[in-house]
């Protein structure tokens, strides 16, 4: 009978010792809600200290979040981040230091709204503009999405191109939104079912990862050296 020996387990990294690989990131990207901070909560002091040490080491830190700029700027500043950030799930690239939108990807929501109205009769619509303001056909609490929301008529809601279209419904289920996505020809759809079901709609190709490529391009960062 042959006895198999188990190789000695070697830890990947011993505290105080050099890293076992010759690799160093140039950019670290963080989500906010339930990652950097609890939903609608504050950032832990340990996280702020860690970000400060990372920036002092010459590594850039950014945020990529579904929040609008209105609720992202305060979190970024609290974390010590003053450079470029990605908001609205990749729809907006903004500069924290001067509170300026550097790039926004917009679309016309009219066709989607018209089709969804026929599929989800009780749908409440909201749109986000390039300044991070929300306009809705029926007032609701946006929470971490944004702090600026105003109730308007549908015609005003669709008067200008938007960054994001939000659909809310008291009755919709996952199956309902799946049917909506299929009917509209969406390649992918993001939705949540809680007390109120909701769906975020943005142009194809708009996501956090693609806007982070723009951050890398503007800051001359190698995309392969990001976390």
């Amino acid at each position: 009978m042959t006895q198999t020996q188990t190789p000695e387990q070697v830890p990947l990294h011993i505290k105080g010792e050099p890293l076992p690989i010759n690799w160093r990131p140039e950019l670290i990207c963080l989500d906010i809600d339930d990652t950097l901070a609890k939903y609608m909560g504050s950032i832990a002091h340990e996280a702020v200290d860690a970000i400060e040490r990372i920036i002092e080491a010459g590594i850039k830190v950014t945020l990529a979040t579904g929040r609008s700029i209105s609720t992202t700027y305060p979190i970024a500043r609290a974390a010590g981040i003053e450079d470029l950030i990605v908001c609205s799930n990749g729809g907006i690239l903004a500069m924290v230091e001067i509170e300026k939108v550097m790039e926004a990807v917009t679309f016309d929501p009219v066709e989607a709204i018209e089709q969804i109205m026929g599929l989800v009769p009780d749908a409440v619509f909201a749109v986000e503009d390039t300044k991070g303001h929300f306009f809705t056909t029926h007032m609701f609490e946006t929470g971490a999405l944004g702090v600026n929301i105003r109730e308007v008529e549908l015609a005003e809601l669709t008067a200008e191109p938007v960054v994001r279209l939000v659909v809310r419904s008291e009755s919709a289920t996952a199956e309902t939104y799946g049917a909506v996505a299929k009917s509209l020809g969406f390649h992918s759809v993001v939705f949540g079912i809680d007390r109120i079901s909701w769906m975020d709609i943005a142009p194809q190709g708009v996501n956090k990862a693609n806007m982070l490529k723009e951050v890398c391009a503007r800051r001359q960062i190698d995309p392969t050296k990001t976390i």
Side-chain angles (χ1 to χ4, degrees):
M1 178 174 161
T2 304
Q3 183 177 1
T4 303
Q5 291 186 339
T6 304
E8 181 182 355
Q9 296 297 310
V10 179
L12 292 176
H13 180 235
I14 300 172
K15 188 174 180 179
E17 294 294 325
L19 287 172
I21 53 174
N22 184 24
W23 187 87
R24 174 186 171 91
E26 296 179 4
L27 174 69
I28 294 178
C29 173
L30 302 169
D31 182 32
I32 295 179
D33 295 299
D34 297 323
T35 302
L36 180 60
K38 292 183 178 180
Y39 181 74
M40 297 299 286
S42 59
I43 307 172
H45 294 300
E46 292 86 352
V48 177
D49 291 342
I51 290 171
E52 181 180 6
R53 293 197 303 272
I54 292 166
I55 293 174
E56 287 177 350
I59 299 169
K60 293 190 178 296
V61 181
T62 188
L63 301 175
T65 176
R67 292 183 177 217
S68 71
I69 53 177
S70 62
T71 56
T72 305
Y73 284 147
I75 291 291
R77 289 203 169 90
I81 298 169
E82 294 286 341
D83 204 354
L84 295 171
I85 55 173
V86 175
C87 302
S88 307
N89 286 323
I92 285 181
L93 178 68
M95 171 66 76
V96 178
E97 185 178 17
I98 56 177
E99 292 196 2
K100 181 179 179 181
V101 173
M102 309 303 292
E103 186 171 331
V105 184
T106 62
F107 67 102
D108 185 347
V110 173
E111 184 178 351
I113 289 176
E114 289 177 346
Q115 293 187 57
I116 292 170
M117 288 176 70
L119 297 167
V120 188
D122 68 338
V124 171
F125 298 99
V127 297
E128 180 186 355
D129 68 10
T130 57
K131 299 179 179 65
H133 300 149
F134 277 88
F135 301 91
T136 181
T137 53
H138 184 74
M139 192 62 72
F140 65 92
E141 174 58 49
T142 56
L145 283 178
V147 295
N148 302 310
I149 183 167
R150 184 159 64 91
E151 188 171 335
V152 298
E153 296 295 327
L154 184 61
E156 186 176 349
L157 193 80
T158 57
E160 300 288 340
V162 302
V163 170
R164 166 166 50 188
L165 170 63
V166 177
V167 185
R168 291 168 59 89
S169 168
E170 294 273 2
S171 63
T173 63
E175 289 74 20
T176 303
Y177 281 151
V180 169
K182 184 177 180 180
S183 175
L184 297 180
F186 291 165
H187 294 271
S188 62
V189 62
V190 177
F191 61 85
I193 307 294
D194 194 4
R195 289 170 299 173
I196 301 292
S197 56
W198 55 265
M199 178 167 62
D200 267 11
I201 298 174
Q204 183 181 359
V206 173
N207 54 55
K208 296 175 184 178
N210 281 338
M211 192 59 87
L212 280 170
K213 292 178 183 177
E214 181 64 22
V215 174
C216 290
R218 288 173 181 249
R219 292 294 175 261
Q220 297 182 318
I221 292 170
D222 181 352
T224 67
K225 293 186 178 180
T226 62
I227 297 177

